[in-house]
Amino acid sequence: MPTMSDPFGARTALSTPAGPVTIYSLGRLAELGFAGIDRLPFALKIWLESLLRQCDGCSITEDHVANLARWQPASLGQAELPLMPARVLLQDFTGVPAVVDLAALRSAMHRLGGDPHRINPQVPVDLVIDHSVQVDLYGTDDALHVNADLEFRRNRERYEFLHWAQHAFDSFTVVPPATGIVHQVNLEYLATVVASRRDPDGSWVAFPDSLIGTDSHMTMINGLGVLGWGVGGIEAEAVMLGEPLSMLPPEVIGFRLVGELPPGATATDLVLTVTQILRRRGVVGKFVEYFGPGVSRLTLPDRATVANMAPEYGATVGFFPIDAETLRYLRDTGRPADRVDLVERYTRAQGLFRAEDAPDPLYTDTLTLDLSTVEPSLAGPKRPQDRVPVRDLKTSFRQSLQAPVAQRGFGLDDAALACTATAHLPAGQDVVLAHGAVAIAAITSCTNTSNPSVMIGAGLLAKKAVERGLRTPPYVKTSLAPGSRAVSTYLDAAGLTPYLDRLGFNLVGYGCTTCIGNSGPMPEPVARAIKEGDLVVAAVLSGNRNFEGRINPYTRASYLTSPPLVVAYAVAGTLNIDLLSEPLGHDPAGQPVYLRDIWPTQAEVRSAVDATLHPGIFVEKYADVFSGNPQWNAIPVPDIADLYQWDPASTYIQEPPFFFDMAPEPPPIADINGARVLVLLGDSVTTDHISPAGAIPADSSAGRFLIAHGLERADFNSYGSRRGNHEVMMRGTFANIRLKNLLVPQTEGDVTLHLPDGESMTIYRAAMRYKDEGVPLLVLAGREYGTGSSRDWAAKGTALLGVRAVIAESYERIHRSNLVGMGVLPLQFLPGQNAATLGLTGLEEYQIAGIAAALTPGQQVTVRARRPDGAETTFSALLRLDTVSEVEYYRNGGILHTILRRMLR
C-alpha cells in the first residue's frame, strides 16, 4: 500500500553502504510526546510502524497510530486497529480455494457489469505447493519419485489452474511441488526480515517484513522476528484485494525464558512443554512474546520450532525479537550481505533489535520457564497440548485405553483391552498386533524438519541403532518428509542417510504429508488386523497436530514427538514400553539395547551440524526455487484471460456459488426463525472434525459423489486436494469419521437426525432436505469450537449447508473470523451457561431475535428454544461480531461480498 502521506513527520533517511533509504521513524512518535514507545512489546512496534508508514487518513488514520502508540498493558483500548501486512503467503490446500474465490469474484464482477481486472492482488502473494504429496510408497529408494509422479497425476487439474492464476493475476508467484513446506521455504528463503520497495517519488523505503497466510502455522516465521500469523482464506483474500485486517488491540503475554536445555532435551520437548503451559494459562487471541536470558540460549531453528506451534497453544503469535542470532541465521542460510546489513541497521535505528542489557518491554502478564526443567516428551493421544513425559508414556497410554471417551480416552472394557490380531505380511511374516502398536512413524512437518539439530539427532540415533543390529518391525509404516531440500543435503553430507534408509525412513517427498493427513494407505494386512481386533494402534510423528481422524483412519491414537524419538518408537514398534528403563530391542548377540546406549550427545549433534551446514547449501537449493521442477515446467501455459473458463466436468475446480444471484445492494438483515440444530457438539471440536483434510472414504457422501462422476477409488485423492470443488466439500463438512454428534449418541461420523420426524441420515442429506423445506440451521457447540487449522472450508461448508448461526461456549480465533467472513453468525453462551446447563437437547425449534435491528459489536441477542412438548427456554447470547467492520461483513453476507460491492460502487 504505497503512500506519500506523512502526517507525523516521521519520514527520515537511514544511511547504508548502498546509499540512503527512507524509513518511518518510531522515534519521531516519542519526540511528539508518545511516551513509552521504547517499552512497547517488539511485536506491537512492528504493527505500529506499519500504521505510521501507511497512515493515509482513510483506511489508516492518525487516531489509529495514536491509539496503538498509547497501548498500555492494563488498558488495551476498545477501538479496532487495521493492519496491512507486507505480503500474503499461501499453501496449496488453502491457497487453491482462495484463488478459486478470486476467479469467482472476477466472474461475479463481470456479471454485475464491472471490470474483472480490478480483482487483483494489491500486495505480493506467494503460493507454495506443499500439501498435495501423499505417502503412497515408502521404505524404498524410489519412494520420492513414485510419490511425486502420483502427486502430479492426481493434481494436474489443480496445477493447471494455478498456472493460469500465475499468469492472470499480478504480483502472484507459485513455488512448485517438491521444493519444501511453505513455512520452511519462508524461513529459509522468502522472508527478508526487513523489506524494501520504491515509493512514488522513486526513493527506496525500508520497513519490517510482515505477512498473513492461509495456514495457521505461519507463526513459525515469528522465530525470525517477522510478524505474521495464519488467517482464514477468506480474510487472506480480502487482504490481497487491499482490505486491511481489523483487530482489537491484543493482550501481550511475556514468556520469560531462563537457563538452558539439559542434555537429552530437544526443541520439540521445549515446544510441547510451552504448549501445555500456555493452553492452561489461556492465550487464545493474545500475542505471546518471548524474552529473558534463556532466549539467547536458543538457536533460531529452536525459536522457529516454538513459534510454529502458537496455534496449538492458542496464541495469535509466539514472537521472538530480532537479535544477533537472527543475523547469524540470515548469514548461515545464504542471505545477501547487503540484506543482512540493512536488517541490522534498520532494526537498531527503530528500536526493534533485542539487546541483552536493555530493559524488558512491558507486558499484560508474564510467565517464566526454566529451560533446564524440560524433559523428553510426547503429546497425545488426541491433542497437542496433552504432554506426556517419556518416562510416563507406557502408563499414560494404558490409562487412556480405558478412560472414558468424554475424557479423551478410548473407553475399552477389560475384554476389549485384551484383544490382539495377526497381520499376515508378505514373505510369510506373521506378526501379532496389540493395542499400542506403532503403525505409523513419520519424520514430517514444518515444526521439526526445519531444525538441523533434531534432524541430525535422528540420523545419529538411526546410525547407532543400525550399528547395534536393530531394525524396525515390518508392520511400521515409516517415512521421512523434510520441509526443505537442504535437509537431504546435510543428512547426506553427514553420512546419515543410509542409516535412516536401513530403518525404513527413506525420503518420500518434500511436503507436509503425514501431519496434514496425507499418510497414505495403510498396508492392507495391517489394516485388516487393526479392524479385526478393533485395535487402538498409534501414529508417532514429528508434527504439530494429532487431532482425531487427522493422521490416518486406522490410527486412533497419535503422538507428537521429536524426530529422534520417532526413530526410537519406530524401532520399539510399540507404546507399551518405558524407553528409560526397558530395552528398545536386542542385538544379534541377544544383548539388550537401551535408548541411552544409542542416544546422541549434544556434542555429537553440534559437531555434525557444524561440519555439514554452510550457506552454500541454501544458495544452491533456492537458486531455481520457482523453476527447478521439470514436471511443473512442462505444464502447458493456458490461454490467459481475465476470466477463468470454468469446466463443468472438472471434479477439482468449480465456480463456487457464493456470488450467484448476488445483488448490488445487500438485503435487510432478518431475525432467524424456525431454525433446527444440524449438529450438537461437545468441547474441542476442531476444524479437522468440521472439514477433514485426509482420505475420502468410498462410502461417504463425498465418495459417492465422486463415484457417480466416474472416478475410481484410487483417484479420489483427499479432501484437502478437492477444496476447489464445493460439491465435494459440502458433502465432506462434518464428515470426519470421529465426529461425535450428540443428536445421535453412541455414533461417530457423518450422521444426524432430521427434525421433527427424527429420521437418521447423513448430515449432507439432512441439510439438503432442510434447504428444500426452507428451514434455517444452527450448530450448538462447547468450548474451543474450531480449534486447529485455519481451514476456511470449515466455515464455507457450514454456510453452504444452510447453517445461519453457531452458538458455542468459546471459539478459536481463526474459525470465528471465518464464520463471520462467510456470513454465519457466531454467538456465544454467557459465562456459566452451555447447552447442558440450559437443558438444550438439540431437538428444539429455535428463534434468534434482535439481529434485525441495529447491530453493534458485542451486544446480546435473545434466543428462544421450543421443545417438542411445547415448553420454551429463553436465554441471552453474546454476539461475537467483535468489530464494526465485522458487523458490516455480516450485513453484506460475508467479507468478499462487502469488497465486491465496494468495488462496484
Side-chain angles (χ1 to χ4, degrees), residues 500-582:
L500 287 163
D501 291 350
R502 288 286 293 277
L503 295 181
F505 289 96
N506 302 74
L507 181 65
V508 298
Y510 296 103
C512 204
T513 64
T514 302
C515 194
I516 192 59
N518 287 354
S519 57
M522 191 75 74
E524 195 275 334
V526 177
R528 189 188 309 120
I530 294 169
K531 290 180 68 175
E532 177 187 321
D534 195 20
L535 300 178
V536 179
V537 301
V540 180
L541 66 153
S542 63
N544 45 41
R545 292 269 163 84
N546 58 340
F547 300 127
E548 290 181 285
R550 179 184 178 96
I551 305 305
N552 189 282
Y554 291 102
T555 55
R556 291 161 65 185
S558 297
Y559 284 87
L560 310 177
T561 196
S562 66
L565 285 176
V566 170
V567 174
Y569 280 101
V571 171
T574 181
L575 300 180
N576 291 304
I577 182 173
D578 180 353
L579 290 184
L580 301 188
S581 63
E582 298 177 59

Side-chain angles (χ1 to χ4, degrees), residues 764-776:
Y764 173 76
R765 183 180 165 210
M768 294 303 100
R769 182 182 288 189
Y770 282 126
K771 181 178 181 180
D772 291 342
E773 296 166 347
V775 175

Side-chain angles (χ1 to χ4, degrees), residues 15-40:
S15 176
T16 77
V21 297
T22 298
I23 68 171
Y24 284 75
S25 173
L26 294 174
R28 174 59 178 162
L29 293 177
E31 293 172 2
L32 293 173
F34 291 96
I37 297 292
D38 59 328
R39 299 291 299 277
L40 277 178

